[in-house]
Amino acid sequence: MAIERTLSIIKPDATRRNLTGKINALIESGGLRIVAQRRIRMTHDIAGKFYGVHRERSFFGSLCEFMCSGPVVVQVLEGENAILRYREIMGATNPANAAPGTIRAQFAESIEANSVHGSDSPENAATEVSFFFGEVDIVG
Ligand code: CMP
């Protein structure tokens, strides 16, 4: 199995409820290593660029507004099959469909305020990691 890196974002609904540590514990007990981490406040410009692929979706404006509504924690996660593994640890985008024990089943408030983001493919992981981090920021 390949060692991969994926981008994770702990979203404003989770930082507001002081859940960063609980989410990090689920990431680590799920077998992934947090190899870079920074707490930031997104601007509308950053959120719009990051979610540019969703620009035409009905929820785009609301999503960008939400992502700027409080601090987020951007992270690089590393491990075997990290991209798929993190998607398993997060659970489905809509918490109503998320498997028991997943981050979203435990913490997400709605399909928008769903506590975490994770890259969905190797191509997007590479783009998203380099959107927030340089190689010198990532310490495996
Ligand atoms: P994320 O994995 O960060 O990728 C896009 C985000 O858009 C998604 O999680 C949700 O937070 C948000 N979103 C809001 N409404 C929808 C929707 N109807 N379908 C998919 N994603 C949505």
Side-chain angles (χ1 to χ4, degrees):
M1 275 199 274
I3 299 294
E4 294 177 334
R5 287 177 178 168
T6 191
L7 185 86
S8 163
I9 305 177
I10 301 178
K11 297 187 181 186
D13 66 284
T15 60
R16 192 174 295 123
R17 287 174 290 154
N18 217 18
L19 292 171
T20 299
K22 286 200 168 91
I23 290 172
N24 280 352
L26 289 172
I27 290 168
E28 292 181 337
S29 64
L32 298 178
R33 197 168 277 277
I34 300 164
V35 294
Q37 178 167 261
R38 189 162 76 245
R39 184 174 164 104
I40 62 168
R41 182 81 182 239
M42 282 195 183
T43 61
H44 281 86
D45 185 51
I46 290 173
K49 281 192 180 118
F50 181 78
Y51 279 120
V53 55
H54 296 307
R55 197 167 292 279
E56 305 305 325
R57 309 286 290 272
S58 58
F59 56 81
F60 177 73
S62 174
L63 172 63
C64 292
E65 197 70 34
F66 165 64
M67 292 301 287
C68 298
S69 68
V72 301
V73 179
V74 291
Q75 310 172 301
V76 182
L77 311 182
E78 186 178 87
E80 282 186 3
N81 281 337
I83 297 159
L84 188 61
R85 180 74 194 114
Y86 190 42
R87 293 185 74 76
E88 291 169 354
I89 293 168
M90 289 192 298
T93 304
N94 185 343
N97 304 325
T102 60
I103 293 172
R104 284 166 171 161
Q106 290 186 60
F107 301 127
E109 295 178 324
S110 67
I111 192 167
E112 177 173 88
N114 64 355
S115 300
V116 281
H117 166 84
S119 308
D120 64 2
S121 68
E123 296 73 27
N124 286 342
T127 308
E128 292 182 0
V129 165
S130 61
F131 188 89
F132 288 108
F133 296 96
E135 262 314 306
V136 292
D137 302 318
I138 303 170
V139 184

